[in-house]
Every structure is written in structure tokens, then in C-alpha cells.
């Protein structure tokens, strides 16, 4: 799905990531952990083409990212569902339109898809909040709405950056169960988090590989995780 | 590359379902600025159009009117004036292409001189030349031939076909018409520049929106088309408003009747009333090109 081989990324002459090698195979489940500022979000952005590596090889769905034009990157992103910590909504549109945004931008809006949208809203527990504006939602509702938006096009890969950062323990467990269920459906999942409790809870339910960013590179986490 | 991108945007603008441009927040001063400026520009365009068309009409009227008339001045001693006048009229009767010719009466000549010398001027006792007015000259009228014949047969008769002052007037009217078109071109360019600035400001201010759209897989064509639709629509609405107001203002201009000149002739006649209706769609084309240009640049910079 997404492969990084000896990838480095620098910004303003400063190396943020070096020698990163990572293979997000189909149906795999990964956690990416590390202290704040270690480069988790940077690595996520590299994975969906928001940033380009300074060196090394990064292939997305079999194509080298450096060889893709902006339209090709946009097409690839339709196969990658991204959940950001700050969610990134269009605040002037209701939640239902925000969740349906990937359908609109990909020209797939249709009555059938509208049914899927209602089903998805129900699945993430937001049926009653469809007409609310994003600023009116609680932290947990925003995370679930972001997850619903990431899933609306039934992507092959789900990248979630601190998806439980703004929610309480119960809500984080609920979001985790949703992501595990998606992984059981065959989706590739990568979750960036510094919440070790969440990782331990997940490992009890799913075969997950835990990676740690340390000294600007990615390593397998220790046995304690 | 930009032309190809414009084609992509045009396809997206035309094919996107109604309401897709809702991804652009409706608020913002640039929205009101675009509507107001395009309305003002359309209003000015209607006036420039009326000026240009009126100038063209005047050039034709003056050219045609003066070309169809001439004057003969009989400057001879008083005792020969009547005979020379009669001889000249006889020559004019024989000259092809002349519809009518008549000598002005003392009262008519007095009226012509009244603005300079006041009323009660004793024209019959002054050495004022007799004037013969020729009108409705046809296509076979030969002014050079007539001038030569008058020189030979009536030495005191001088033909004035008005060419001396007709040509500068017609040239001035033609120049005025060109200036009107130039003004319309400048207004279109200013509208394009304004829409470019407004769209660039809106694109820059909405960088988080663009980032979100890209995050969910929007192509540059989709993002650009949302902004292009919004600004093209605003420009169309503003231009339609300005055009209607401009046409009403032109319709309410006072007419000058017979004494009318350029100012009182500033109006549309006949099919010319349809010309201002082209202003809103043309303004939309300008807005489309300007916003596409702005979107291309800003999206390139933000990628």
C-alpha cells in the first residue's frame, strides 16, 4: 500500500526524519508512537503526500510519489482516509456535508451514496447531529465525524493522527473499537499516538505492530508495548 | 499549461452540480467588494458604450449632413450682385446632382449675422456678400467641376463645400468613439485586475479550507472551480445590476431635439439598446479568466 525506504525529510535545513523504512502492507495494523515533536505528524503527512521526502523512496499504491503530479496525489488521497487531531472541518457547512465532502470532491455524490452516508453517520453515532455545525460538536463527536469522513469513500488505508487526543477514555475505547473493526474488514490502519494505554488496550484485541520514532528515525517498539 | 488548467476549470465549473461552490465560505468583504465593483464598472461601461455609439452616430450625421450641402458666396460690387446671383443660380440649375439651390434673403442673412452685430442690421446697405445655399447634392455632384465653371463664368462666386471644417469634426467624433472603446477596454482590464485581487485575497484567506479539500482528495481543478464559480457569479450579479442602472440613467438623459449635440445625444437608439445586455456576460468571462489566473497562481504557491 504505502512503502517508505530510507526516507529522509528536512525542513529549513534541519533534518526531521532520517533513514525511515516502513511498509504498510494490506490489512496491517500499526501504531506509531513517540514524544511530542518527534515527527509522527510529519511521517503521516509523508504517507499521504502532503509532504515530499527530501531523499529516499516513497511509493503510494505502487507509484513513486515524486513521479506523481498533484492530480495523481489527489486521486491517491481518495484511497487514504485521514483523521487529524484537529479534524479540519469546513465550519460553515453542517456535519453531514462535511462527512460527505470526499463524495462531492470525487464526483460520487448520488442517492445511493446518501444512504451510505446515513448508515455511516449512524455507525459512528452521529445521526442526531447531522445538521449541526462542526463548532457545535464536542471533542468526541468531532473525532467521530472526522473518522466518518475518512471512511466515506471506503479507503484502503486509514491514517489517524492522535484520534483520541481530545476525548475521554470511554470515547477513545469506542473510537479504537471502530478502527479495529475496520481493520478486520481488511483496511490498513496506522494510528499515531502517544497514548500507551490505548496501545496496550488495542494489542489485546488486534495483531498490531508498534513503531516508535526516536532520534529522527522509526524503530520497532520495545517489549513493554 | 495555464490554458489547459483553464479548460479543466471550465469543465469543472460547467459540470459541477449546483451548490458545489458552497465549500467556499459565503462571508467576507471580498464578496461585497466584487459585487459593488463589478456593478460600478458595468455602469461606467454602459456610459462609455453610449458615448462611443453616440460619437459614431454624430460622425455619420455630421459627415452625411455636411456632405449633402454647400454654400456659394457672391462677393461682387453691389450693382453686379443681383446679376451674378441669378447667373450662379442658372448654372446650379444646369449642374447635375444638385437637388435644390436658393439665395438667402436679406432677413435670413441678417439673422445669421445677428449673433455678432445685433438686430436691425441694414444688410441691404452693407457690402455683405450674397449667400446661395445648395442642398441634397447627389452622388453625381462634382464640386471641383462646379468650382471651375463658376470661376470662369461668375468671377465673384466662391464655392464652399464645408470640407475644411467638416473633416476635423468628423475626425474628432471618430476619435471620441475610439476613446469610448478604449475606455471600455480599460474598464474590462480594471475589472479583471480587481477580481484577480479579490480572488487572490479570498484564496489566501481560505488556505485552511483549501488544505481540508486537498486532504479529502480534491484536485486543483475542483478547488479552483469552486472559487471561480463563486466569483464569476458575483461578478455576473454585480454587472447585471450596474447595467440595468446604467441603462435607466441613459434612458433618463434629457433629449436635445433639433439643437442636440453630443451631450444631449448620449443615448441608445434602436438595436443599440441591446448592446449593453452584452456587458454582464462579458464581465463574467473577464471574471472567469481573472479568477482562474489567480487560482492557478495561489494553488501552485500553496502546494
Amino acid at each position: 500500500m504505502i512503502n517508505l525506504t530510507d526516507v529522509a525529510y528536512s525542513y529549513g535545513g534541519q533534518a526531521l526524519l532520517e533513514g525511515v523504512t516502513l511498509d504498510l502492507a494490506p490489512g496491517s495494523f500499526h501504531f506509531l508512537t513517540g514524544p511530542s515533536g518527534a515527527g509522527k505528524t510529519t511521517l503521516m503527512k509523508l504517507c499521504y503526500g502532503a509532504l515530499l521526502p527530501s531523499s529516499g523512496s516513497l511509493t503510494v499504491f505502487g507509484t513513486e510519489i515524486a513521479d506523481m503530479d498533484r492530480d495523481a496525489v489527489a486521486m491517491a488521497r481518495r484511497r487514504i482516509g485521514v483523521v487529524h487531531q484537529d479534524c479540519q472541518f469546513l465550519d460553515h457547512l453542517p456535519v453531514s456535508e462535511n462527512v460527505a465532502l470526499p463524495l462531492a470532491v470525487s464526483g460520487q455524490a448520488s442517492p445511493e451514496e446518501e444512504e451510505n452516508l446515513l448508515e455511516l453517520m449512524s455507525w459512528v453515532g452521529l445521526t442526531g447531529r447531522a445538521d449541526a455545525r462542526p463548532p457545535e460538536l464536542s471533542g468526541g463527536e468531532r473525532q467521530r465525524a472526522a473518522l466518518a469522513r475518512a471512511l466515506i469513500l471506503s479507503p484502503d488505508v486509514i491514517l489517524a493522527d492522535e484520534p483520541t487526543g481530545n476525548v475521554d477514555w470511554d470515547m477513545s475505547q469506542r473510537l479504537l473499537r471502530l478502527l479495529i473493526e475496520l481493520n478486520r474488514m481488511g483496511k490498513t490502519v496506522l494510528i499515531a499516538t502517544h497514548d500507551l494505554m490505548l496501545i496496550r488496550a488495542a494489542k489485546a484485541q488486534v495483531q498490531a505492530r508498534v513503531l516508535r520514532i526516536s532520534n529522527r528515525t522509526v524503530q520497532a517498539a520495545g517489549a513493554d508495548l | 499549461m495555464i490554458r489547459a488548467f483553464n479548460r479543466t476549470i471550465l469543465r469543472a465549473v460547467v459540470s459541477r452540480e449546483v451548490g458545489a461552490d458552497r465549500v467556499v465560505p459565503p462571508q467576507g468583504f471580498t464578496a461585497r467588494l466584487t459585487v459593488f465593483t463589478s456593478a460600478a464598472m458595468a455602469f461606467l461601461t454602459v456610459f462609455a458604450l453610449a458615448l462611443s455609439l453616440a460619437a459614431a452616430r454624430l460622425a455619420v450625421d455630421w459627415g452625411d449632413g455636411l456632405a449633402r450641402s454647400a454654400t456659394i458666396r457672391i462677393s461682387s460690387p453691389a450693382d453686379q450682385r443681383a446679376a451674378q446671383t441669378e447667373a450662379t443660380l442658372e448654372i446650379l440649375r444646369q449642374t447635375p446632382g444638385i437637388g435644390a439651390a436658393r439665395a438667402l434673403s436679406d432677413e435670413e442673412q441678417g439673422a445669421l449675422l445677428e449673433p455678432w452685430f445685433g438686430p436691425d442690421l441694414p444688410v441691404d446697405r452693407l457690402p455683405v456678400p450674397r449667400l446661395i445655399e445648395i442642398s441634397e447634392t447627389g452622388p453625381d455632384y462634382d464640386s471641383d467641376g462646379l468650382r471651375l465653371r463658376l470661376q470662369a463664368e461668375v468671377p465673384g462666386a466662391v464655392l464652399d463645400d464645408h470640407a475644411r471644417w467638416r473633416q476635423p469634426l468628423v475626425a474628432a467624433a471618430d476619435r471620441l468613439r475610439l476613446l469610448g472603446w478604449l475606455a471600455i477596454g480599460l474598464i474590462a482590464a480594471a475589472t479583471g485586475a480587481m477580481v484577480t485581487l479579490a480572488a487572490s485575497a479570498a484564496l489566501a484567506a481560505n488556505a485552511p479550507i483549501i488544505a481540508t479539500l486537498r486532504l479529502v482528495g480534491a484536485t486543483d481543478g475542483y478547488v479552483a472551480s469552486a472559487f471561480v464559480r463563486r466569483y464569476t457569479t458575483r461578478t455576473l450579479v454585480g454587472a447585471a445590476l450596474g447595467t440595468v442602472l446604467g441603462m435607466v440613467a441613459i434612458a433618463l438623459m434629457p433629449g436635445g431635439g433639433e439643437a442636440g449635440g453630443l451631450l444631449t445625444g448620449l443615448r441608445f437608439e434602436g438595436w443599440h439598446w441591446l448592446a449593453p445586455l452584452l456587458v454582464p456576460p462579458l464581465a463574467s468571462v473577464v471574471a472567469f479568466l481573472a479568477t482562474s489566473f489567480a487560482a492557478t497562481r495561489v494553488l501552485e504557491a500553496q502546494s
Side-chain angles (χ1 to χ4, degrees):
Chain A
M1 292 283 172
I2 299 175
N3 296 85
L4 295 87
T5 307
D6 200 21
V7 163
Y9 179 76
S10 304
Y11 184 77
Q14 188 183 354
L16 301 182
L17 292 172
E18 286 177 329
V20 175
T21 296
L22 175 63
D23 178 21
L24 298 183
S28 59
F29 198 117
H30 301 259
F31 279 104
L32 182 63
T33 188
S36 294
K40 297 190 293 293
T41 301
T42 300
L43 182 56
M44 291 287 224
K45 287 184 172 178
L46 285 166
C47 288
Y48 65 85
L51 298 174
L52 291 176
S54 307
S55 64
S57 166
L58 167 55
T59 60
V60 178
F61 303 120
T63 306
E64 188 68 40
I65 193 92
D67 296 336
M68 297 164 82
D69 61 18
R70 293 212 297 275
D71 278 358
V73 171
M75 296 303 162
R77 279 183 195 163
R78 294 175 189 177
R79 298 176 63 189
I80 303 172
V82 181
V83 183
H84 260 295
Q85 187 174 8
D86 59 3
C87 299
Q88 289 189 238
F89 290 119
L90 305 186
D91 288 345
H92 63 287
L93 295 180
V95 171
S96 57
E97 285 192 50
N98 269 285
V99 172
L101 201 55
L103 292 173
V105 304
S106 59
Q108 295 180 40
S110 67
E112 297 77 39
E113 292 297 343
E114 206 164 303
E115 274 181 33
N116 290 342
L117 169 67
L118 294 175
E119 216 172 283
L120 190 56
M121 295 284 285
S122 165
W123 192 62
V124 295
L126 286 174
T127 305
R129 304 294 275 154
D131 295 329
R133 294 288 189 277
E136 299 166 8
L137 300 182
S138 67
E141 287 173 329
R142 287 173 67 84
Q143 294 289 2
R144 281 181 282 149
L147 183 60
R149 185 183 64 189
L151 299 178
I152 190 84
L153 287 179
S154 191
D156 299 313
V157 180
I158 296 159
L159 303 177
D161 189 5
E162 300 284 5
T164 59
N166 294 322
V167 298
D168 59 27
W169 175 249
D170 286 344
M171 183 54 66
S172 69
Q173 288 303 296
R174 195 170 158 186
L175 285 169
L176 180 62
R177 279 198 296 275
L178 288 175
L179 290 166
I180 290 172
E181 198 173 328
L182 288 164
N183 178 247
R184 285 175 180 151
M185 292 174 180
K187 311 291 184 192
T188 303
V189 178
L190 172 63
I191 301 173
T193 183
H194 60 265
D195 185 347
L196 302 184
M197 298 266 285
L198 183 79
I199 297 173
R200 288 189 186 110
K203 285 190 77 173
Q205 303 171 62
V206 70
Q207 180 97 26
R209 188 174 174 216
V210 183
L211 307 165
R212 183 195 301 277
I213 295 188
S214 178
N215 294 326
R216 298 187 293 276
T217 194
V218 173
Q219 302 162 337
D224 56 325
L225 287 174
Chain B
M1 181 186 161
I2 285 176
R3 283 177 63 185
F5 189 69
N6 280 348
R7 277 199 299 275
T8 306
I9 295 170
L10 183 59
R11 269 199 302 275
V13 167
V14 171
S15 64
R16 203 74 64 196
E17 71 272 19
V18 175
D21 55 340
R22 294 182 67 231
V23 296
V24 182
Q27 303 88 355
F29 79 98
T30 56
R32 293 187 290 278
L33 179 72
T34 306
V35 174
F36 170 76
T37 310
S38 53
M41 292 299 186
F43 189 86
L44 293 174
T45 303
V46 171
F47 265 91
L49 193 59
L51 175 73
S52 194
L53 291 172
R57 212 164 43 236
L58 273 183
V60 171
D61 287 352
W62 286 346
D64 286 357
L66 295 173
R68 283 198 303 268
S69 68
T71 307
I72 293 176
R73 189 176 71 246
I74 311 291
S75 304
S76 59
D79 57 331
Q80 297 173 21
R81 195 175 302 154
Q84 290 206 4
T85 301
E86 189 48 44
T88 302
L89 287 170
E90 184 54 33
I91 289 171
L92 292 174
R93 275 192 284 275
Q94 297 166 6
T95 304
I98 290 181
R102 68 179 188 90
L104 296 189
S105 66
D106 287 345
E107 288 73 24
E108 286 173 313
Q109 296 206 169
L112 286 174
L113 295 170
E114 190 177 311
W116 287 272
F117 298 105
D120 305 326
L121 183 71
V123 175
D124 53 335
R125 278 177 278 149
L126 290 173
V128 177
R130 176 65 63 198
L131 297 178
I132 295 175
E133 183 185 69
I134 304 171
S135 58
E136 297 178 18
T137 49
D140 49 351
Y141 168 67
D142 176 13
S143 63
D144 291 336
L146 176 61
R147 189 173 284 114
L148 288 171
R149 189 173 174 193
L150 287 172
Q151 275 176 3
E153 298 181 25
V154 189
V158 178
L159 173 67
D160 179 5
D161 60 3
H162 306 156
R164 240 178 333 145
W165 59 280
R166 182 179 73 214
Q167 282 164 352
L169 273 179
V170 172
D174 279 339
R175 185 63 57 88
L176 199 56
R177 184 187 55 183
L178 280 178
L179 287 175
W181 287 113
L182 180 65
I184 289 171
L186 288 173
I187 290 169
T191 304
M194 185 282 307
V195 174
T196 303
L197 284 175
S200 296
L203 284 155
N206 286 304
I209 302 259
I210 293 170
T212 301
L213 290 171
R214 282 179 159 160
L215 182 72
V216 299
T219 59
D220 283 2
Y222 180 91
V223 177
S225 73
F227 282 87
V228 167
R229 274 177 73 116
R230 179 61 64 86
Y231 278 85
T232 303
T233 308
R234 284 172 183 165
T235 304
L236 180 64
V237 169
L241 192 65
T243 299
V244 169
L245 291 175
M247 290 174 75
V248 169
I250 293 290
L252 293 178
M253 284 285 286
E258 291 279 317
L262 179 61
L263 288 177
T264 52
L266 197 63
R267 62 184 184 278
F268 297 112
E269 286 183 354
W271 69 267
H272 285 171
W273 278 105
L274 298 176
L277 300 181
L278 291 173
V279 172
L282 289 178
S284 302
V285 171
V286 170
F288 171 82
L289 294 173
T291 317
S292 301
F293 173 71
T296 307
R297 281 189 356 163
V298 174
L299 292 175
E300 180 79 39
Q302 287 183 4
S303 65

